[in-house]
Each structure stands twice: as structure tokens, then as C-alpha cells.
Amino acid sequence: MVQAYILIQTEVGKASTVAETINKIPGVIQAEDVTGPYDVIVRAQADTVDDLGRMVVAKVQQVDGITRTLTCPVVHL
Amino acid sequence: MVQAYILIQTEVGKASTVAETINKIPGVIQAEDVTGPYDVIVRAQADTVDDLGRMVVAKVQQVDGITRTLTCPVVHL
Amino acid sequence: MVQAYILIQTEVGKASTVAETINKIPGVIQAEDVTGPYDVIVRAQADTVDDLGRMVVAKVQQVDGITRTLTCPVVHL
Amino acid sequence: MVQAYILIQTEVGKASTVAETINKIPGVIQAEDVTGPYDVIVRAQADTVDDLGRMVVAKVQQVDGITRTLTCPVVHL
Amino acid sequence: MVQAYILIQTEVGKASTVAETINKIPGVIQAEDVTGPYDVIVRAQADTVDDLGRMVVAKVQQVDGITRTLTCPVVHL
Amino acid sequence: MVQAYILIQTEVGKASTVAETINKIPGVIQAEDVTGPYDVIVRAQADTVDDLGRMVVAKVQQVDGITRTLTCPVVHL
Amino acid sequence: MVQAYILIQTEVGKASTVAETINKIPGVIQAEDVTGPYDVIVRAQADTVDDLGRMVVAKVQQVDGITRTLTCPVVHL
Amino acid sequence: MVQAYILIQTEVGKASTVAETINKIPGVIQAEDVTGPYDVIVRAQADTVDDLGRMVVAKVQQVDGITRTLTCPVVHL
């Protein structure tokens, strides 16, 4: 199981609806609005890094209003 | 009361009108054009962090010509 | 109550001990190692934005091996 | 007269004393701690751009604990 | 002969087709999807730096879905 | 007299025509295509910082294909 | 098997020896000097994302002269 | 012949002496202090990209007070 934070930038004025929509995607644990260089921070999980990459491209990035996503896989050192 | 600087990037050629429009938003103390990585720097205030976030999304980001905003809340250490 | 994500960059080779140490700070909910532009992502909470700022400066940034912290307060839009 | 915002990054744990010290520099109108990618935001003024540059290098950057300054001159478009 | 890495950001949801298309461009050795601040990393070669620049502008940047490319020429120190 | 470098990012595929067009703007000394995080680097001059800001907004940023400009005024320390 | 690009920034003047040293680390396929915002680009592989993270922290980041590493895992979409 | 801009960040308070010292390096055409995210902008030339890389590492980066250099080769598209 791979977990990750996904740091998201949205189009201006879209942060709230983006977070709401992402919260409904399977594999997403939590999506919250934040201030600063990112607009939404998501916590998600998938079986493998490839599954995680596919989930970001096929599900998260399909949400209207997203301009950039930055996936940060959690590592256990 | 929470105060914040909002660092704004605009579409090319829009900095001047963006600053003028933002100056009329309630809660905005000052909006000025600058050179460098940001185009407009705003000083604003609201009752809470959540109010500040709502003001940025619902008022500031609705101004035509803005591409990114970066909110930096003032903290009293 | 204010919640925030704190995105942390560490000195090379220090990510693991930084996360361990931060996990023991009161107010920190979770601190995890990640790959990408940040090395550790922390979730924390405090009573006010000022308290949060003080906690970051007085507690988190005192941890040996941290080079930059980026605090992103959660907002409820 | 040229005015500018100076966005400052400090060593971890130094933001508060940096802001206090900068507030005493002639030409500085205000220096405040903020959260986000910058730690202190300063508003300053000088007679010319060259004077402003000299003030930043000779006065502001001499303050102990500063790692980067980003000067954004205000422009009247 | 000049070799280079080209770090590419794509529109959301376009990383996969961008990598596939770039892989067919003459001079491209390999194009792969990655996670993090870039979406696709390409390895390419050309006769001179000018040829490399022309290849990026005339071939790589013509691929639909690319928003930014960052060319990093390999140097032999 | 104020001189400045203007670091420019263009839409993909537009760097060459952007540089050509900017070279014809009064006050521009030289505009060249480069590789790296910027696509075109311009050297320009104006009477004051305000004039320089106006020239960037009213002339340079009007050139089709520019997405971001970063003005770096030369200072004599 | 997980593959990744590791984008490395070094202390000034250290790029060449950093690349040489990294080339000898087991799991590193290739390490090359580049110009641009990064100084060395490495291609590496490991069994899992956790192994990759451990390799970066325990081996790559121990090399003298490295200031930042940015790990970009390859994903197969 | 390859020409390049070298964008330089210096330690705080060192910009002026860095520019002076770089101006004496063979192959450097001009080095000037600027405000913004960079502190000194250099124009240089060398016979090949490899020579340029060697010049940056062996000469420019040896100057005391430099923390980062970003080399942007000029390309003729």
C-alpha cells in the first residue's frame, strides 16, 4: 500500500468546489482547502506507485478547476 | 482580527486594472503594483483565518486578470 | 481551533530523525517522510493563527536538521 | 522617492528577532512576521532604486538570521 | 553532439499521451512519466546547442498538452 | 536612467517570435532566446522605475505569446 | 521494481565530484552533470518506493557537497 | 562560440563584491547587480557548452559569496 499527499493548485475561485469533488474519489482519505502556494491538500492511498500515478491522472486531474498537482509519496525510512 | 499580505500574479498587461479593482474590495487596506515575481501586493484584514480565506476566494480571486494568489497571514510571535 | 499542514525541507540525510522528533511535539497530529520538493509533511493544530506561528517558530523550527518550513493553514470556505 | 516591499526568508527560529531588528533601520516603514514561503515582509522607501538597493545590501541584509531577500519595487502604472 | 534532459509540465490529465507522442520525435532517446513537480522527463540529443533549442521549440513544444519545458544540457566537466 | 533585465516565459513554441517582436520596442537594447526556466532574456532601459514598469506592462507584455515577465532592475551598489 | 530520476543541487563548485561519487552507488544507473536549476541528474532504481527513499537518504544524500535532492519516481500510466 | 546568461544568488551582503570579482574572469562580458530573485546577472561566452560548464564550475562558482548559479545558454532559433 502506498500513501501520498497531493498538493494542488486550482484556478482562481475554484478551491472550494475542487476539494469537495476530490473528497468523493475512491482512495482519497481527505481533501482540505489551505492558504499559501497550494490551494488544496489531499491525502490518498493506492496499492502501488503506478496505481497512485494512474489515480492522480485519471481521477484527480479530471476534476474541473485544477491547474497543477504535485504528488508526494509517503516513505518509511 | 487577522491581517495578511496577498501576493498576486496577473495575466500579462492586467496588473494596473487588477490593483485598482482590488482597492475597492471591503477589507482591503491597500493594493499596489510591484515589479518582480509578483505583480500586485495587497494588504487585507478579516475577523478570522476562515473569513480571510473566504474573502480571497469570493472577492479577490473573482477580479478579472488574476492567475495566482498567495496569502501570507501576519503572525505576532 | 486552527489546523495546518507544515511542509518541511531538511538538511540532506536528516529527514528521518526530523520526522521522529516532530512527532513528539504537543499540537502535532502526524509527521511523515515524503519524497519530492519537501522531505517531511506535518499536520498540526493550535488555538489561533498566532499560536500556530509561535508553535512553528518556538518548537518545530528548533528541531535540528530543518532548513525551511512552509505553513499552510487549513481554511473552511 | 521609491517604495518597495522586501520579502525575507530567515534561518529557522529567527523570524521574530529579524523583524524586530529591521523595524529599527531608517527607511523601513514596517516589518512583520508572516507564515508561508516568506518569514518577514518589510515595507521600505528610499530616494532612488540605487539607494534602495544599497539600503537592502548594507542595512537589511546585515541583520543576523536572514538567508534571502527579494526586493519588489512599487511601480505607479 | 549535445545531450540534454528536458523536464516537462503538462496540462492536467495529459501526461501519458504527451510522453507517448514525444517518444516518436527523432533525437528523443526516452520519454517517461514521473510524479513530482514535473510530469514527463525526456532524454534527447542534437548536434549543437542551437539544434537542441530548435528541436525543443519546433518539435517537442508542438506536442499538444505541454505547458512548460525546462531544458538541462548535459555538460562534461 | 534605469536599466533592467526582463526574464520572460513564453507559451510553448512562441519563444522565437517573441524575441523578434520585443527587439523592435523602443527602450529595448537586446532580446535573446535562452534555454532553462526562462525562454527570452531582454535588456532594456527607461528614465525611471515607473517608466520601466509602464514600458513592461504597456509594450513588452502586449507581445503575443508571453505568459510571465520578471523585471530585475540593475542597481549600482 | 521502482525507477526514479533524482534531480540534485550541489554546493557551488562540487557538481563534478558529486556526480562521480554517486555513479558508484549500487542502484544508480547513471549520474550526469547538467546546467540549469539542477547540477546533477541521476537515474536510479530500487525494489519499492520505501527502498528508493532509504537509498536516497542513506546513500545519495550522504555524498559530500549535495544541498538538495528531488526524487521523481517513474510511473507507468 | 556559445554565449550564456548566468543568474546568480549570493550570500546576503555579498552581491557587490561578487559582481566586481566576476567581472575580472576571462570570458565574462559583463556582471551587474540586480534586485529581485537573483542578485547578480552575468553575460559570458565560451567555445562550447562543455567549456561554458567548466568555466562556471571552475571560475565563477569559486568566487566567495555565491550560493547558486543558473546558467541559461543563448540559442539561435
Side-chain angles (χ1 to χ4, degrees):
Chain A
M1 182 68 68
V2 176
Q3 292 201 312
Y5 290 93
I6 309 170
L7 313 178
I8 295 178
Q9 295 182 329
T10 69
E11 293 172 23
V12 289
K14 295 283 183 70
S16 174
T17 54
V18 164
E20 272 177 46
T21 309
I22 291 177
N23 262 318
K24 296 170 192 156
I25 296 175
V28 167
I29 298 165
Q30 188 173 38
E32 292 178 300
D33 294 297
V34 294
T35 72
Y38 307 103
D39 303 302
V40 177
I41 293 184
V42 175
R43 170 126 192 160
Q45 63 184 8
D47 281 346
T48 68
V49 171
D50 288 348
D51 286 343
L52 186 71
R54 276 180 217 117
M55 175 192 163
V56 171
V57 168
K59 296 286 171 56
V60 176
Q61 294 190 345
Q62 301 308 319
V63 174
D64 182 55
I66 292 180
T67 54
R68 284 291 303 160
T69 69
L70 171 51
T71 303
C72 303
V74 173
V75 290
H76 304 91
L77 302 177
Chain B
M1 182 69 67
V2 176
Q3 293 202 312
Y5 290 94
I6 310 169
L7 313 179
I8 295 177
Q9 295 182 328
T10 69
E11 292 171 24
V12 288
K14 294 284 183 70
S16 174
T17 54
V18 164
E20 272 176 47
T21 309
I22 291 177
N23 261 318
K24 295 170 192 156
I25 296 175
V28 167
I29 299 165
Q30 188 174 38
E32 292 177 300
D33 295 298
V34 294
T35 72
Y38 307 103
D39 303 303
V40 177
I41 292 184
V42 174
R43 170 128 192 159
Q45 63 184 10
D47 281 347
T48 68
V49 171
D50 287 348
D51 286 343
L52 186 70
R54 277 180 217 117
M55 175 191 163
V56 170
V57 169
K59 297 285 171 58
V60 176
Q61 294 191 346
Q62 301 307 319
V63 175
D64 181 57
I66 292 179
T67 54
R68 283 291 304 159
T69 69
L70 170 51
T71 303
C72 304
V74 174
V75 290
H76 304 92
L77 302 177
Chain C
M1 184 66 71
V2 176
Q3 293 201 310
Y5 291 94
I6 310 170
L7 313 178
I8 295 178
Q9 296 182 328
T10 70
E11 292 171 25
V12 289
K14 295 283 184 69
S16 174
T17 55
V18 164
E20 272 176 46
T21 310
I22 291 178
N23 261 319
K24 296 168 192 158
I25 296 175
V28 167
I29 299 166
Q30 187 174 39
E32 293 177 300
D33 295 297
V34 294
T35 71
Y38 307 103
D39 303 305
V40 177
I41 293 184
V42 174
R43 170 128 192 156
Q45 62 184 10
D47 280 347
T48 68
V49 171
D50 287 347
D51 287 342
L52 185 71
R54 276 180 219 117
M55 174 192 165
V56 170
V57 168
K59 298 286 171 56
V60 176
Q61 294 190 345
Q62 300 308 319
V63 175
D64 181 56
I66 292 181
T67 54
R68 284 292 302 160
T69 68
L70 171 51
T71 304
C72 303
V74 173
V75 290
H76 304 92
L77 302 177
Chain D
M1 184 67 69
V2 175
Q3 293 202 311
Y5 290 93
I6 309 171
L7 313 178
I8 295 178
Q9 295 182 328
T10 70
E11 293 171 24
V12 289
K14 295 281 183 69
S16 174
T17 55
V18 164
E20 273 176 46
T21 310
I22 291 177
N23 261 319
K24 296 169 191 158
I25 295 175
V28 167
I29 299 166
Q30 188 174 38
E32 291 177 301
D33 294 298
V34 294
T35 73
Y38 307 104
D39 303 303
V40 177
I41 293 184
V42 175
R43 170 127 193 157
Q45 63 185 9
D47 281 347
T48 67
V49 171
D50 287 348
D51 287 341
L52 186 70
R54 275 179 219 120
M55 174 192 165
V56 170
V57 168
K59 298 285 171 58
V60 176
Q61 294 191 344
Q62 301 308 318
V63 175
D64 181 56
I66 292 180
T67 54
R68 284 292 303 159
T69 68
L70 171 51
T71 304
C72 303
V74 173
V75 291
H76 303 92
L77 302 177
Chain E
M1 183 68 69
V2 175
Q3 292 201 312
Y5 290 93
I6 310 170
L7 313 178
I8 294 178
Q9 295 182 328
T10 69
E11 293 170 24
V12 289
K14 295 283 183 69
S16 174
T17 54
V18 164
E20 272 177 45
T21 310
I22 291 177
N23 262 319
K24 296 171 191 156
I25 295 175
V28 168
I29 299 166
Q30 188 173 37
E32 291 177 300
D33 294 296
V34 295
T35 72
Y38 307 103
D39 302 303
V40 177
I41 293 184
V42 174
R43 171 127 192 159
Q45 63 184 8
D47 281 346
T48 68
V49 171
D50 287 348
D51 286 343
L52 185 70
R54 275 179 219 119
M55 174 193 165
V56 170
V57 168
K59 297 285 171 58
V60 176
Q61 294 190 344
Q62 300 308 317
V63 174
D64 182 55
I66 292 179
T67 55
R68 284 292 303 160
T69 69
L70 171 51
T71 304
C72 303
V74 174
V75 290
H76 304 90
L77 301 178
Chain F
M1 183 68 70
V2 176
Q3 293 201 312
Y5 290 93
I6 310 169
L7 313 179
I8 294 177
Q9 296 183 327
T10 69
E11 293 171 25
V12 290
K14 294 285 183 68
S16 174
T17 54
V18 164
E20 272 177 46
T21 310
I22 291 177
N23 262 318
K24 295 169 191 157
I25 295 175
V28 167
I29 299 166
Q30 189 174 36
E32 291 177 300
D33 295 297
V34 293
T35 73
Y38 307 103
D39 303 303
V40 177
I41 293 184
V42 174
R43 169 126 194 161
Q45 64 184 8
D47 281 346
T48 67
V49 172
D50 287 348
D51 286 343
L52 185 70
R54 275 180 219 119
M55 174 191 165
V56 170
V57 169
K59 297 285 171 58
V60 175
Q61 294 191 345
Q62 300 310 317
V63 174
D64 182 55
I66 292 179
T67 54
R68 283 293 302 160
T69 69
L70 171 51
T71 304
C72 303
V74 174
V75 290
H76 304 91
L77 302 177
Chain G
M1 184 65 70
V2 175
Q3 293 202 311
Y5 290 94
I6 309 169
L7 313 178
I8 295 178
Q9 295 183 328
T10 70
E11 292 171 25
V12 289
K14 295 283 183 68
S16 174
T17 54
V18 164
E20 272 176 45
T21 309
I22 292 178
N23 261 319
K24 296 167 193 159
I25 296 175
V28 166
I29 298 166
Q30 188 174 39
E32 293 177 299
D33 295 297
V34 295
T35 72
Y38 307 103
D39 303 304
V40 177
I41 293 184
V42 175
R43 170 127 191 158
Q45 63 184 10
D47 280 347
T48 66
V49 171
D50 287 348
D51 287 341
L52 186 70
R54 277 181 217 116
M55 174 191 164
V56 170
V57 168
K59 298 285 171 56
V60 176
Q61 294 190 346
Q62 301 308 319
V63 175
D64 182 56
I66 292 181
T67 54
R68 283 293 302 160
T69 68
L70 171 51
T71 304
C72 303
V74 174
V75 290
H76 304 92
L77 303 177
Chain H
M1 184 66 69
V2 175
Q3 293 202 311
Y5 290 93
I6 309 170
L7 313 178
I8 295 177
Q9 295 182 329
T10 70
E11 292 171 25
V12 288
K14 295 283 183 68
S16 174
T17 53
V18 164
E20 272 176 46
T21 310
I22 291 177
N23 261 320
K24 296 168 192 158
I25 296 175
V28 167
I29 299 166
Q30 188 174 38
E32 291 178 301
D33 294 298
V34 294
T35 73
Y38 307 103
D39 303 303
V40 177
I41 293 184
V42 174
R43 171 132 193 154
Q45 63 184 10
D47 280 347
T48 67
V49 171
D50 287 348
D51 287 341
L52 185 70
R54 276 180 219 118
M55 174 192 165
V56 170
V57 169
K59 298 284 171 58
V60 176
Q61 293 191 346
Q62 301 308 318
V63 175
D64 181 56
I66 291 180
T67 54
R68 283 293 302 161
T69 68
L70 171 50
T71 304
C72 303
V74 173
V75 290
H76 304 92
L77 302 177

